[in-house]
Amino acid sequence: MSFDLYLEHFESGESAPVDRDKILAILLREHCQKDRYGFHLAEFSDGTHVSMTMPNLEDGEEGEDGGKDFTGCAFHLRGFSPMIINFIFSVAEAGDMVIFNFQGKNTVDDPVLIALNPQQLPHLPKLTTNGTEAYIPVLCTSPEQLWTLLGMGFEEWTDYRDQVIGRQP
């Protein structure tokens, strides 16, 4: 069970390719490894870690949809730390990607859609939560702000996870 964040790059309302080299450079800098199941894994000096799915990142890889473009990725969090948030922010920023937090409540304080710069906003597709209600994009310009925007949602998710697995507070 994980707290998942999805990153995607958009141009003119459509998913668009990300510069693979920028993302690969970040993964290399953080000494990420790819496991036998295809997940990229990052471990940080504070003892936390995160796994990622990055379809089509390596040249020649074919995605589930048959495409070869790297347009986004997903982070599967089982812990929460400033190092993880800095890493996610760095990847999103390098790829000019927005962040989807589907655990969010689609409010300004607990958003589903997080943009890192105002230039991303006109490129977003017409996204809806239930066919009628549009996602409210929230602008986030720093890892510290991302920590705040995700913090309450992660705390609620942790409480839910602990209840499901029978862990006592």
Side-chain angles (χ1 to χ4, degrees):
M1 179 179 253
S2 60
F3 182 91
D4 298 328
L5 299 173
Y6 300 89
L7 283 60
E8 190 74 18
H9 177 68
F10 293 102
E11 290 179 11
S12 302
E14 301 288 331
S15 292
V18 172
D19 183 343
R20 288 182 172 117
D21 292 338
K22 289 181 180 180
I23 305 306
L24 288 167
I26 292 171
L27 297 182
L28 184 62
R29 181 186 75 215
E30 296 297 335
H31 308 288
C32 293
Q33 302 291 319
K34 193 170 183 181
D35 72 11
R36 66 182 182 192
Y37 303 107
F39 289 94
H40 288 81
L41 306 172
E43 294 184 16
F44 302 99
S45 61
D46 64 359
T48 60
H49 63 277
V50 64
S51 64
M52 303 151 278
T53 49
M54 299 194 159
N56 306 335
L57 180 62
E58 282 85 14
D59 288 331
E61 253 184 348
E62 188 169 310
E64 293 174 17
D65 62 356
K68 296 208 183 269
D69 289 331
F70 173 65
T71 63
C73 55
F75 287 81
H76 313 290
L77 288 78
R78 289 169 184 83
F80 203 63
S81 77
M83 293 185 96
I84 290 174
I85 296 302
N86 286 335
F87 179 63
I88 294 168
F89 191 88
S90 294
V91 170
E93 191 172 49
D96 192 28
M97 295 183 272
V98 297
I99 300 170
F100 288 97
N101 168 26
F102 291 111
Q103 292 91 186
K105 295 185 174 95
N106 199 31
T107 65
V108 175
D109 295 327
D110 192 5
V112 170
L113 176 56
I114 301 167
L116 301 190
N117 65 66
Q119 292 78 22
Q120 292 174 323
L121 300 177
H123 290 283
L124 296 174
K126 303 294 181 230
L127 301 167
T128 60
T129 58
N130 59 15
T132 58
E133 179 185 350
Y135 289 125
I136 302 165
V138 173
L139 189 61
C140 173
T141 58
S142 71
E144 294 79 18
Q145 185 181 8
L146 184 59
W147 173 274
T148 301
L149 290 172
L150 298 176
M152 182 53 78
F154 186 81
E155 190 173 303
E156 289 174 2
W157 171 83
T158 301
D159 291 344
Y160 171 74
R161 179 205 58 201
D162 291 350
Q163 178 185 357
V164 168
I165 64 173
R167 190 181 289 170
Q168 298 298 320

